[in-house]
Every structure is written in C-alpha cells, then in structure tokens.
Amino acid sequence: MQYIENKTFDELKVGDTAAITRTLRQQDIELFAVMSGDVNPAHVDEEFAKSDLFHKVIAHGMWGGALISAVLGTELPGPGTIYLDQSLSFRRPVGLGDTVTVRVTVREKIPDKKQVVLDCVCTNQAGETVIKGEALVIAPTQKVRRPRAVLPEVHLHERGARYRQLIEAAHKCQPIRTAVVHPCDEVSLVGALDAAADRLIVPVLVGPQAKIRKAADAVKRSLQDIEVIDTPHSHAAAARAVELAREGRVEALMKGALHTDELMGAVVKTDTGLRTERRMSHVFALDVPHYPKPLLITDAAINIYPDLETKRDIVQNAIDLAHALGMAEPKVAILSALETVYPKINSTVEAAALCKMAERGQITGGLIDGPLAFDNAVSKEAARTKGIVSAVAGDADILVAPDLEAGNMIAKQLIYLAGADAAGIVMGGRVPIMLTSRADGALARQASCALAQLVVHHRTRGAQ
C-alpha cells in the first residue's frame, strides 16, 4: 500500500524541495475542460488551434496550476496544507506530448503564523520554464501519514463521435434519392430535411400533401424544390414508396409517422414488395461508450424467432453492412446463454451450425464464432477467464442475437443503461430501409441515412 506523508512546519527547512512530472495527454485536456467548463477552442478544437497563435492544441494554463497544487497538497508540505495565495506567470505554452516537471521549493518560513512561502517552477522537457510563481500556505503542525487514495478510472466518451465519422465518410458519396414515407409529423419531416441539408439524401416525400405541408409550416421549413407525392393515407404512402423503389426512382426508404408494420407490410409483399432471395433483417449500429469500435446488433426488429436458414441470412446481411462501413473481415459473434454447445439450448446448436456453414462457404466475408455468451463476445478479459481461444471473442464487430426478444433487450440495455447511441437499417431487400423512431435523436437519424448511403454506394461500386 502506498502512503502520503507531510512535513510539519517545524520539520520544514528553507531549501526543501519536491517535484512531480507529468506528460500532457489529450485525455488531460478533455478532463480539465469537463471539470472546469473551459472549452476555449485553443484547447479543444484542433482545426481552430492550427490557426491560432501557437498553431497547435495547448493545455489550459491552470492545468499547470493544478499540478502545483498537487505537489503542495501531497508532497511538500503535504496533507494538512492550507492554501492562502498563489501567483502564476505563464511563460510558454504546453502542447500535447510535452513533459512538465513541477517543482516547489521552500523560500521562507513565517514562524508566528506557521506560514511558508514557496517558489513554484514548471519546466518542459527542454528545460524551458513554462510557468513560474509563488505560493503562500499555512503549513501543517501535526504529523499526517495516510494511505494514498485510489482514484476512480475515468473513461471519456465523446457522444456521437463515431456517428460523425460515419456521416463524414458518407459525404464522400452522392446523396441518395430516398422515399420518406408519410412524414406528416414534425419529427420525421425535420429529420428528412436535415439529412437533405447535410447532403445524405435527396428526399421524396410520400404521403398526404396537406398534412406534410402543415407539418412544414409548423416548423417553418420550406419544401421548395422538394418532390412531394400525394397519397390519401399511410397505407397508400407505404405502397407508393415501395413502387418507387421497384421502378428504380428511389434508392432507399425512410420511415416517417406510420407504424413499422404498415411500412414493412408493403415491403415484404410477395408480388409487389422489395423481397430478394434473402430474408430481410434489421441491424442496429451502436456507438457504445467504453467499446473501442462500432458495434452491430442483429436482429432486434423484424424476425421474431428465426430458424437456422433465416439466421444465415441475418448474419450475411450484417456482414454486408459491415463491408459497406469499411470492415474488410468483420468479426461475428453468434450469441447464446453459453459458450459451449448444449443440445437443450437450441441457440447453441444453431450457433455451431452457422459456424460450419461459414466454413463451407454458405456465409461469406466474415470471421464467425459461436456460441458465445454476451460477456465473452465483448470482453477479452471474460473470454480469457473462461479459457476461450478465439479471434472473435472479446473483439466482436457484430452480435447476432438468438431471437428478436434477446436482440431488442441487448440493444435497449446498451442504449438506456450504457449510454449508447443507436442507428439502424433494414438489409436484405432491394433497397435499404431506415426504420427511424420518434425517440431517435437528430444525430441518430442522420447516422441511419449515412448507413443507407454507404450501403447504396457499396452496392453500386460492387456492380461496376
């Protein structure tokens, strides 16, 4: 166990010194910004910082001041020290990767007040002074020796960062013509118009024209130059949107203010729908704090209790989406309650069968393993503890749930308990379908559009 121990006023001598050394990391800047609320772009905006005085991201000046406080409070004089005054002169900026040594030295003792004056100097790796100052403290009079507190681990997660990267990747493609089905409320209409403004889609609004225009008036948005196809009600809107996709007039569908089963009912019709030789399935693309990469979860919205043949299509659809997102060989974890095959749990048997199907070329483009329990699919430590040797375990890109109930629960637990952001798309049809929800935020809606745009671009590129 580590301890921290002070020097009392009587033990202190003029010339006593103590120091700590720290290297500035991006996380230090972000933590200080979160704690202080100081989001000066010189510290947190790399693009702005390049054009600023020092042409690089620099630390907050008081980051160095905080390090001085740390030396005074833990080293010299140490626990029991009371701050009275501190002067600081900032001589040079501290940039990312700079190593700063903070040293305090006792310059004067004031016996009647038990006060101590200390010189404070911060130098960088080149020996240059970056901060210089003077501290006045009341030194402790009683000896203190305490276990050093173990600080909590801090994991920073920039909300929406991966979705912004996804949208940025989509910007390299042409916007896709998208039938927005029954956008008769403000949320769905604004989501479509925002995606159009961000050059992700070219919206074709399909639904009762009067209701659509009323929604646009309510949010003061113009529909100039936007095609509106008038239909009497939501069922007709779904049917017409599917027709547009069959005719090749739109490249994707986007759900508006209608029930999912209304839209999907038109999509899955045998003669007039958007079926292919493959079963359609839904894939969530989640940005999960503390998980190092995007996480795809399927199927949580369409296939309730899929059989083995349907699961094959569910897996292949997810792999195809992963390819569109730039994953060359996505790692696919087939989930169950166990990581061993147990005949009484059918999902373990089907997981093993899916792995064999992949070996025989019935599923292509991914690295598949299963059955895997959720913990050893996403945690290398959990996989190690259970002795699982697998390239997928602990590093999955895709989680395949045994049924819709399990998939829906996993996705919503990650969203509401782990703070994940969720975008989603239906794969396996003639065109990608965005099943947006009223609960989706603006960024999630845009991310869903980006998913569809990347899928269309990937298919077009593959057909050439």
Side-chain angles (χ1 to χ4, degrees):
M1 181 177 291
Q2 292 184 322
Y3 289 85
I4 58 174
E5 185 175 345
N6 65 5
K7 278 194 172 184
T8 65
F9 181 85
D10 292 336
E11 292 175 320
L12 289 169
K13 297 180 177 60
V14 172
D16 282 351
T17 187
I20 61 172
T21 299
R22 296 285 187 274
T23 298
L24 180 67
R25 305 168 301 163
Q26 181 66 37
Q27 186 180 32
D28 297 318
I29 293 177
E30 292 170 352
L31 279 171
F32 199 92
V34 170
M35 179 274 296
S36 66
D38 184 352
V39 290
N40 181 338
H43 311 306
V44 298
D45 186 336
E46 183 177 2
E47 185 176 350
F48 172 85
K50 288 178 181 177
S51 64
D52 200 22
L53 178 63
F54 301 111
H55 307 295
K56 63 180 180 180
V57 170
I58 61 173
H60 299 79
M62 291 309 297
W63 177 73
L67 295 182
I68 293 172
S69 176
V71 181
L72 295 173
T74 63
E75 301 289 341
L76 189 75
T81 299
I82 305 298
Y83 239 137
L84 292 177
D85 193 22
Q86 176 76 63
S87 67
L88 295 172
S89 173
F90 300 97
R91 305 298 181 86
R92 285 182 172 81
V94 177
L96 287 173
D98 284 351
T99 298
V100 175
T101 298
V102 181
R103 183 174 300 278
V104 301
T105 305
V106 176
R107 191 177 77 207
E108 181 184 352
K109 296 177 66 177
I110 306 172
D112 58 329
K113 296 182 179 180
K114 305 298 182 185
Q115 294 178 357
V116 179
V117 179
L118 301 102
D119 290 323
C120 310
V121 179
C122 305
T123 55
N124 62 20
Q125 65 274 12
E128 301 166 325
T129 298
V130 295
I131 301 175
K132 190 172 184 178
E134 175 187 287
L136 175 64
V137 303
I138 299 176
T141 57
Q142 294 183 343
K143 195 69 176 172
V144 176
R145 187 172 187 267
R146 300 284 298 173
R148 182 178 289 273
V150 178
L151 297 177
E153 289 187 22
V154 177
H155 300 274
L156 293 177
H157 176 74
E158 184 184 347
R159 190 101 192 222
R162 292 198 182 100
Y163 281 170
R164 283 189 283 275
Q165 292 172 357
L166 178 68
I167 293 167
E168 187 63 31
H171 283 160
K172 299 175 184 177
C173 313
Q174 290 297 316
I176 56 174
R177 283 181 59 82
T178 301
V180 186
V181 187
H182 203 255
C184 296
D185 67 349
E186 297 172 12
V187 173
S188 58
L189 181 60
V190 168
L193 296 180
D194 285 348
D198 205 21
R199 297 189 66 257
L200 298 171
I201 67 172
V202 176
V204 178
L205 308 181
V206 185
Q209 186 170 137
K211 289 185 178 180
I212 293 172
R213 295 197 179 280
K214 182 178 179 181
D217 291 342
V219 292
K220 297 181 171 55
R221 299 290 290 268
S222 172
L223 298 183
Q224 186 177 357
D225 299 327
I226 294 178
E227 184 178 357
V228 180
I229 297 178
D230 189 26
T231 65
H233 45 67
S234 57
H235 285 287
R240 183 66 183 122
V242 169
E243 285 179 10
L244 293 173
R246 288 178 64 89
E247 294 166 3
R249 291 180 56 189
V250 298
E251 301 166 280
L253 302 186
M254 183 179 188
K255 175 178 169 286
L258 76 168
H259 293 296
T260 296
D261 58 357
E262 286 185 82
L263 175 57
M264 293 307 299
V267 167
V268 301
K269 283 187 175 179
T270 303
D271 297 327
T272 60
L274 300 175
R275 288 177 179 267
T276 65
E277 75 285 352
R278 195 184 296 172
R279 185 68 172 259
M280 280 179 267
S281 58
H282 183 270
V283 188
F284 270 120
L286 272 70
D287 181 356
V288 185
H290 316 325
Y291 201 67
K293 54 186 176 179
L295 186 63
L296 306 185
I297 296 178
T298 190
D299 180 349
I302 293 180
N303 296 286
I304 301 174
Y305 297 115
D307 58 18
L308 181 60
E309 188 175 359
T310 300
K311 284 186 177 180
R312 188 213 76 86
D313 288 347
I314 289 172
V315 173
Q316 192 65 64
N317 288 339
I319 291 173
D320 289 352
L321 176 58
H323 288 168
L325 301 184
M327 303 179 199
E329 189 179 41
K331 298 177 180 179
V332 184
I334 313 297
L335 296 183
S336 184
L338 303 174
E339 58 279 347
T340 54
V341 177
Y342 183 52
K344 291 184 179 180
I345 301 179
N346 192 52
S347 59
T348 67
V349 178
E350 291 188 340
L354 289 167
C355 292
K356 180 56 70 175
M357 292 169 82
E359 288 181 16
R360 299 291 171 87
Q362 292 173 269
I363 302 172
T364 60
L367 188 61
I368 301 174
D369 197 8
L372 290 171
F374 180 83
D375 58 346
N376 46 61
V378 298
S379 168
K380 290 183 179 179
E381 184 177 349
R384 234 182 348 258
T385 299
K386 293 192 176 181
I388 299 172
V389 179
S390 164
V392 174
D395 193 36
D397 298 296
I398 299 169
L399 302 181
V400 180
D403 54 44
L404 183 145
E405 290 178 319
N408 195 274
M409 289 178 190
I410 292 168
K412 288 183 177 175
Q413 284 167 356
L414 291 173
I415 293 166
Y416 290 101
L417 293 180
D421 289 311
I425 191 171
V426 175
M427 298 286 292
R430 292 193 185 187
V431 300
I433 303 162
M434 294 161 267
L435 297 182
T436 53
S437 164
R438 288 185 61 85
D440 291 342
L443 187 60
R445 287 174 178 271
Q446 285 185 298
S448 294
C449 292
L451 290 173
Q453 189 178 15
L454 290 168
V455 167
V456 171
H457 176 70
H458 183 73
R459 288 179 178 177
T460 303
R461 189 175 54 192
Q464 292 175 345

